[in-house]
Amino acid sequence: MDHGNNVNVSVESESLVRMDNGWVRVEIHLDNGEYSAVGQGLFLLQGVRSAFRWKGREYHTGLYERHKWREEDALENGFGSGKHIVVQHEDPRLPRIEQHFYLYEDSSFFLTKVVVQHEEEIRTNRISVINTNEDLFDRNADLGDELYALRVPYDNDKWVRYLAQPFPLETESYEVAALFLPDSRQGLILGSITHDQWKTGVRIKGEQAGKLDELDLYGGATGMMTRDSQPHGYLKGTRVESPLVFAGFFADYRDGLEKYGWANTCAVPPLPWKLGAPFGWNSWSAAMSNLDYELYTSTSDFLHQEVQPLGFQNENTLYINFDAFWDRLTKSEMEDALNRVRRNGHKPGTYWTPFAFWGSPDQMVSPVEGTDGQYTYSDILLRDADGEILPDIAGGLAIDPTHPGALQRIDWFTNKMLSEGFEYIKLDFMAHGALEGRHDNPDITTGIAAYNYGLSYLASKLSPEATGKSIFINLSIAPLFPYAYAHSRRISCDVFGTIADTEYLLNSLTHGWWMNNTLYRFNDPDHSVIYRSCNQEATTRHEGRSRLTASVIAGTVLLLGDDFRYEEAAWRAKAWLKNREILEVARLGKTFRPLEGNWQDRASDTFMLLNHDQSVYIAVFNFDGQQSVRKSVPLHRAGLAPGGIYDAFDLWEGTASEVQEELAVSLEPAESKLFKLTLKNK
């Protein structure tokens, strides 16, 4: 297609309407209720229908008797300038289906949503926005490459992994999926960009290599991966809308995922953070349930006296954060500990699980904090349609975010945290608040709607407008969406210090780097254990430094996770955290991209970050804790011009070499290296 600036809408025949912006062409077939879309590269969508579930059956646009279209007013919004058309499907026996299409100038994606309308109230808990049983490629196309599908997890609980696997396959991704050709990197990105009512699933099936048989992007996903025991809640009314959906065609699927992240922020802006990336310490891996006053205060003293003067700080401060079991400290110990941290010039942080109850059955009759005895915990727990408490997740029972007792509990805890002067709040086990169930507020009928309700209330209590200061809000175990209530989200589940932990973390970075500075200001790579987590044996120095490198390239909340009363932990902190070049990378707050993405359920071993001056950072890892390896990084795959001669500076070792065409790296067991490449012959 010729690339142009304008969006053209044209009637090609009685049965064919076309939208075209030179990058994407959408063709509406009014004879059969289907449409097709094609963009740059080999990918295309064809034979696409939309559908909804009603009275026990699913009805798709191809079943309707009449199909007509209309053009709406021109678009001018955060996505740019564009045009909007509506395709209306009518049948006297059925509610009307409307498909809305939005195409913008100079964009390689289009947006679409489905609206179901009826004179009488309808109820549905499933709307399929993009559904096709036809292949993604022209039958004469020569792929010359394997077709991969990326499954994105719904949340980051239970050490779930991203999965990029070749066809044949059958999988379901959540909120967004990528179909891509690894060698050429061409890709098709499909995902929802509104997250107010629906959990979105993307079902992908192909029984042969390189061939799609089924694709279904729909609102209404539930199951083991969403932690739900109940079906998705019903939306009801005379007008029910699907999620707004992004469908994009990209020469590099990595660009596509970043554009998808950006598109979300056009629909709902992220929570702004004007300060730098938080540096500091978190207590969990150092002590877990054995957290005490001495560990907390001695850590602040050690960092203040021996590590911060070497350069480990951002904006002249550190966050010293309590994790779970902060309530082991007495009131006087807590008051003294917080004063001591502040005297060191540090900011204290704390931890809370607003939507999870951890008590025993006899504790359910305990009054809920802040309710003056009006509600017990039994009153505010989320239940199913029969009134039974939902099954626990990881030992925690779900609290209904819409219950007035749950909101009063939020008031009580936030007032406590604010009165104690905490400036960093880690919110954990958040997926409990997004479970499907019978909510106290009858107007809220889905888990994601309830989660938005409760989390927005909590975020408003912690906002600068309410508190008069900037409080950093971090989500730990949480759904990926919605995102607009926190400054960062942990990109994976818990990560400790071994090379296996580092590989697990980098699996999430391989496929989730794009969330940084789009959905969330920072990705959170969890506490950086550079010596020993209290639930593991001590790591080797290569393991410890690789764990730190992984956090630095994550883009990043850089919180240490050791007990520095161990001599080796203190040595590593002082030896490694004086490296100003490494810390400057962390202060950038930018996540590195994966060099390659076809690693199935494993992590990429090579990541890169291109700078504005055309220099590039390249991080290379050896995930084998037993064997040395030699790796070669083709510079053209990193986007560098062929034939260029580069100075390669090893940031950890402080050594330089000259490279051309490829970067050869020798790594000891569990070792990693971080290079900065700068073009010599400009």
Side-chain angles (χ1 to χ4, degrees), residues 616-632:
V616 64
Y617 290 106
I618 296 179
V620 188
F621 293 82
N622 177 13
F623 298 129
D624 191 325
Q626 304 299 320
Q627 300 292 326
S628 300
V629 297
R630 183 174 173 83
K631 296 180 181 288
S632 177

Side-chain angles (χ1 to χ4, degrees), residues 473-484:
I473 304 174
N474 172 272
L475 303 182
S476 185
I477 291 175
L480 174 53
F481 295 99
Y483 55 86

Side-chain angles (χ1 to χ4, degrees), residues 351-591:
Y351 170 97
W352 188 39
T353 60
F355 303 133
F357 171 70
W358 305 97
S360 60
D362 59 328
Q363 292 173 312
M364 289 183 189
V365 297
S366 301
V368 176
E369 297 89 341
T371 67
D372 294 327
Q374 183 179 1
Y375 300 110
T376 67
Y377 271 94
S378 180
D379 295 326
I380 68 172
L381 294 178
L382 186 60
R383 298 171 184 265
D384 64 19
D386 294 324
E388 293 296 324
I389 295 170
L390 295 186
D392 74 278
I393 301 173
L397 298 173
I399 291 173
D400 177 1
T402 77
H403 196 287
L407 301 181
Q408 292 171 41
R409 180 174 177 262
I410 288 174
D411 290 341
W412 190 89
F413 272 99
T414 53
N415 288 338
K416 180 179 186 297
M417 291 184 284
L418 293 172
S419 68
E420 292 174 334
F422 288 106
E423 298 187 52
Y424 185 117
I425 309 250
K426 176 180 175 181
L427 302 173
D428 206 355
F429 292 97
M430 301 301 286
H432 286 68
L435 292 177
E436 304 298 327
R438 187 189 67 193
H439 294 93
D440 183 78
N441 186 330
D443 296 327
I444 295 177
T445 57
T446 72
I448 286 296
Y451 184 59
N452 275 286
Y453 183 86
L455 188 51
S456 65
Y457 184 85
L458 173 55
S460 71
K461 294 288 182 178
L462 300 174
S463 68
E465 293 77 16
T467 64
K469 59 183 177 181
S470 296
I471 296 176
F472 193 83
I473 304 174
N474 172 272
L475 303 182
S476 185
I477 291 175
L480 174 53
F481 295 99
Y483 55 86
Y485 309 113
H487 302 108
S488 72
R489 172 183 175 271
R490 203 169 65 191
I491 199 169
S492 65
C493 196
D494 295 10
V495 185
F496 302 102
T498 69
I499 194 63
D501 286 302
T502 296
E503 187 278 328
Y504 165 67
L505 165 66
L506 291 177
N507 165 262
S508 297
L509 201 69
T510 300
H511 303 297
W513 84 94
W514 51 271
M515 304 166 199
N516 188 76
N517 212 24
T518 55
L519 310 182
Y520 301 93
R521 177 59 191 91
F522 305 109
N523 280 328
D524 174 12
D526 206 9
H527 41 35
S528 300
V529 182
I530 61 175
Y531 171 55
R532 179 182 179 272
S533 177
C534 68
N535 63 337
Q536 293 176 336
E537 296 298 319
T539 60
T540 67
R541 288 186 177 179
H542 281 321
E543 277 185 299
R545 204 166 74 174
S546 288
R547 178 65 189 85
L548 180 57
T549 302
S551 288
V552 166
I553 70 171
T556 189
V557 176
L558 188 56
L559 302 181
L560 305 177
D562 279 276
D563 182 345
F564 297 108
R565 293 172 297 186
Y566 288 104
E567 182 180 355
E568 176 67 12
W571 182 91
R572 293 184 187 188
K574 289 185 285 187
W576 298 343
L577 296 171
K578 67 182 180 183
N579 188 317
R580 295 180 183 270
E581 287 86 0
I582 292 289
L583 294 180
E584 281 305 311
V585 176
R587 290 191 189 99
L588 291 174
K590 295 181 179 179
T591 301

Side-chain angles (χ1 to χ4, degrees), residues 169-185:
L169 58 74
E170 184 170 2
T171 192
E172 181 163 16
S173 190
Y174 295 91
E175 305 301 333
V176 62
L179 294 137
F180 67 99
L181 303 170
D183 288 347
S184 70
R185 294 196 177 117

Side-chain angles (χ1 to χ4, degrees), residues 650-661:
D650 184 328
L651 272 64
W652 277 121
E653 302 303 327
T655 58
S657 60
E658 190 175 277
V659 298
Q660 186 176 13
E661 304 300 339

